[in-house]
Amino acid sequence: MRDDEETSAASKPPPQQASCGARHLIVTLAFTTSCCLSGVVFGWPALAVALKREGAYADKCADDDDECKSQEVALARVFTIGVLCMFGARLPVGLALDRLGARVTVVITLLGAAIGALLFASKYYAVGFALITGCANGVHVGSMHLAQLFSGREGSVTTIFNGAHQMGSLVFLAFLGIYGSGVSLSSIFRGYAACLAGFALLHGCVIQPSTRYR
């Protein structure tokens, strides 16, 4: 019986094969996508500075109030909502991966984050940030199976993707630098939305296979 199982396992077709250059390109693009979205919530302090300079929730401040606590509370509420959505979305993302597959899940979450960026650009800060952070999990988790492209080095590739999750905190820091150069926050987030939509197209057509690598 055991021999039959081993023979059956050996006869199963391997994952879709790709050339060495193609495999490196696929993982590099997926890594870049993950850097741009999966861990952005951790870069909130830099974004909060830009929002204060932009005058977000400044209408809650009195004219003689140099340290507007109401503004601080409003910004903290946006961050809290974003964190809750990031953690709360993990189960739905897992269910989507099982039912829809990695390609559909990643594309949907990237488009959802792009819509969130557009809402943020339109000053719907809480809703926009919630969509961005809630959809971030789909990109990170949905790309993990690409480690199977490198047989025997799956652990190394998975570690690289985990590193991309942490590097996402630099995205809003970069936004703060761009904002300091004179570009409006609305323009920055519209450009961000366009980038996320472009990544969605790449994942749908190039990066993600029709079925997950195993």
Side-chain angles (χ1 to χ4, degrees):
M1 183 70 174
R2 183 176 178 79
D3 291 340
D4 292 341
E5 290 178 354
E6 290 177 353
T7 303
S8 176
S11 65
K12 287 182 180 178
Q16 298 176 23
Q17 297 298 314
S19 68
C20 182
R23 284 183 288 147
H24 281 86
L25 177 61
I26 288 170
V27 170
T28 299
L29 290 172
F31 172 81
T32 304
T33 308
S34 193
C35 284
C36 289
L37 181 60
S38 64
V40 291
V41 68
F42 303 115
W44 171 259
L47 182 59
V49 172
L51 286 170
K52 288 179 183 177
R53 293 179 185 175
E54 186 80 357
Y57 302 111
D59 57 319
K60 297 180 179 292
C61 305
D63 294 336
D64 57 347
D65 190 359
D66 294 332
E67 296 182 3
C68 181
K69 292 185 178 180
S70 297
Q71 183 188 41
E72 294 284 353
V73 170
L75 290 173
R77 187 181 298 117
V78 173
F79 174 68
T80 302
I81 291 171
V83 171
L84 289 174
C85 287
M86 181 185 70
F87 288 113
R90 288 185 174 179
L91 179 58
V93 165
L95 293 173
L97 281 171
D98 289 336
R99 294 181 179 234
L100 303 176
R103 176 191 286 175
V104 175
T105 300
V106 172
V107 169
I108 288 175
T109 51
L110 279 167
L111 292 177
I115 293 171
L118 289 175
L119 289 171
F120 200 95
S122 301
K123 299 186 178 181
Y124 295 100
Y125 300 121
V127 178
F129 194 65
L131 267 175
I132 292 170
T133 58
C135 291
N137 286 308
V139 174
H140 180 62
V141 179
S143 297
M144 286 294 188
H145 72 103
L146 296 175
Q148 300 300 321
L149 284 169
F150 293 86
S151 179
R153 289 180 286 177
E154 295 91 344
S156 299
V157 178
T158 300
T159 302
I160 289 172
F161 280 121
N162 285 330
H165 184 68
Q166 303 303 321
M167 289 178 66
S169 61
L170 300 176
V171 172
F172 291 154
L173 185 61
F175 286 5
L176 179 59
I178 296 170
Y179 180 75
S181 68
V183 182
S184 70
L185 205 57
S186 294
S187 298
I188 292 171
F189 271 87
R190 288 192 186 99
Y192 185 44
C195 287
L196 293 175
F199 280 130
L201 183 62
L202 275 175
H203 276 267
C205 300
V206 178
I207 300 174
Q208 298 289 344
S210 56
T211 57
R212 278 186 288 174
Y213 296 116
R214 298 181 185 276

